[in-house]
């Protein structure tokens, strides 16, 4: 059977539980038509590059599918009918990628980077800038205003 990678975007208003239920429904359809899902990844809510049906964010889900083309046609038909699905994309691949997808590796890398930076101070932690040392005790010199400077030179 052919191998596919299928990604769909669900509205941001849908809860993560609703997205998981939709994934389970699609998995049931694929298995009912003689296919299987080898991997399913929920990538979370991410910002979109541009608005889709008045949505600025969406839930992203990836599924690695091993199914006949009829099963893919059926899940795409169901996604067109579902109001919560904004977009979907199915790509036929020669083989499925082992391990986590690129999006999941990026999330791990970002978490690792944040953990390494934990010892550094944020810009807000540079100390109290209100204390300027010995500058506070000096009397301020009063500069004459422009009109006062003119009268002082005329005298």
């Amino acid at each position: 059977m052919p191998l596919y990678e299928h990604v769909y975007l669900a509205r941001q208003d849908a809860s993560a539980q609703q997205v998981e239920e939709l994934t389970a429904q699609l998995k049931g359809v694929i298995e009912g038509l003689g296919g299987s899902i080898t991997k399913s990844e929920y990538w979370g809510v991410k910002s979109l590059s541009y608005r889709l049906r008045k949505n600025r964010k969406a839930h992203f889900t990836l599924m690695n599918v091993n199914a006949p083309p009829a099963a893919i046609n059926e899940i795409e038909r169901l996604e067109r009918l579902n109001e919560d699905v904004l977009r979907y994309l199915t790509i036929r691949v020669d083989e499925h990628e082992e391990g986590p997808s690129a999006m999941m590796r990026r999330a791990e890398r970002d978490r690792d980077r944040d953990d390494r930076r934990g010892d550094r101070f944020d810009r807000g932690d540079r100390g109290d800038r209100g204390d300027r040392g010995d500058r506070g005790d000096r009397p301020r010199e009063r500069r004459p205003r422009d009109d006062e400077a003119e009268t002082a030179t005329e005298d």
Side-chain angles (χ1 to χ4, degrees):
M1 272 188 275
L3 302 175
Y4 300 95
E5 288 185 358
H6 180 79
V7 178
Y8 72 91
L9 282 59
R11 289 183 319 131
Q12 68 185 20
D13 299 340
S15 67
Q17 181 181 3
Q18 289 173 316
V19 174
E20 291 297 324
E21 289 172 3
L22 179 60
T23 303
Q25 177 189 0
L26 296 175
K27 182 178 180 180
V29 170
I30 289 172
E31 290 174 349
L33 293 172
S36 65
I37 294 183
T38 57
K39 177 173 67 172
S40 175
E41 290 181 355
Y42 173 68
W43 292 343
V45 177
K46 303 215 174 279
S47 296
L48 300 172
S49 297
Y50 53 90
R51 293 175 77 178
L52 294 175
R53 296 192 213 158
K54 299 182 182 180
N55 290 285
R56 295 187 182 276
K57 294 184 178 189
H59 294 270
F60 285 65
T61 303
L62 165 77
M63 295 186 294
N64 285 348
V65 181
N66 182 6
I72 299 301
N73 289 338
E74 180 62 19
I75 63 168
E76 288 181 350
R77 185 186 72 80
L78 291 173
E79 288 174 334
R80 277 194 300 272
L81 295 174
N82 193 329
E83 292 178 355
D84 289 337
V85 177
L86 300 173
R87 290 279 195 276
Y88 60 87
L89 177 67
T90 306
I91 299 174
R92 185 171 177 179
V93 294
D94 293 329
E95 62 184 59
H96 286 139
E97 188 176 314
E98 295 296 322
S101 65
M103 292 291 286
M104 296 304 277
R105 286 194 304 263
R106 190 180 97 192
E108 282 180 21
R109 186 182 68 229
D110 292 346
R111 277 195 299 273
D112 292 344
R113 185 190 67 220
D114 291 343
D115 290 344
R116 285 192 306 267
R117 290 185 179 180
D119 298 341
R120 296 181 186 173
F121 292 111
D122 196 318
R123 284 186 166 203
D125 297 334
R126 290 187 179 177
D128 185 14
R129 297 235 180 215
D131 180 22
R132 296 286 180 147
D134 62 318
R135 287 180 63 182
D137 297 342
R138 292 188 298 186
R140 288 187 62 180
E141 297 176 15
R142 185 171 170 263
R143 287 191 228 159
R145 295 189 314 217
D146 290 339
D147 58 340
E148 290 178 356
E150 290 175 12
T151 57
T153 55
E154 291 175 2
D155 291 334

